[in-house]
Amino acid sequence: MVERRTVLQVSGVLAVGGVLAACGGGAGSEPSGAAAGVASDAAGSSGEGAAIASVGDVPVGGGVVNDEVAIVVTQPSDGSIKAFTAVCPHQGCLVSEVVDNEIICPCHDSRFSAVDGAVLQGPATEGLAAASVVVQGDSIVLA
Ligand code: FES
């Protein structure tokens, strides 16, 4: 009887250990992925604010939409970085892309200037408000 209890306790420990090991492996892989994200964010920011985009990721004539902060960053001409709210003033959708210096809202196809956010095509009647950003090295940071 005593030996059986001992065996059960040992197997219970092994079972728990196996679960922990399994969890450890799973948890170990997730944080390392998250750590990579944090590392890239940290690497992308050299000031107090987090980088919302990298200059190298913003093509001339195009742009990058950062969904997390709802900002669209554009580069209408080489070296000229602009930023605007990504929230369309028509009905609040997020703009989705920038093509040929036009910021496009996918909901009803309003288009805005990548230079100053002005309406190029409705149904939106108001432009995109400018956002203040600064370029720090290759990082674009909210000012
Ligand atoms: Fe953007 Fe309608 S919400 S065009």
Side-chain angles (χ1 to χ4, degrees), residues 1-2 10 13 17 22 24 35 38 41 44 49 52 66 69 73 86-88 140-141:
M1 293 292 283
V2 173
V10 168
V13 169
V38 170
D41 286 344
I52 60 170
N66 183 317
V69 292
V73 180
V87 179
C88 179
I140 300 165
V141 179

Side-chain angles (χ1 to χ4, degrees), residues 17-34:
V19 169
L20 289 175
C23 288
S29 61
E30 286 181 25
S32 66

Side-chain angles (χ1 to χ4, degrees), residues 10 13-14 20 28 30 37-38 44 50 52 55 65 71 81 86 90 95 98 103 112 115 141-142:
V10 168
V13 169
L14 289 175
L20 289 175
E30 286 181 25
V38 170
I52 60 170
V55 173
V65 179
I71 298 286
I81 298 294
H90 179 232
V95 300
V98 183
I103 303 168
F112 306 90
V115 175
V141 179
L142 284 174

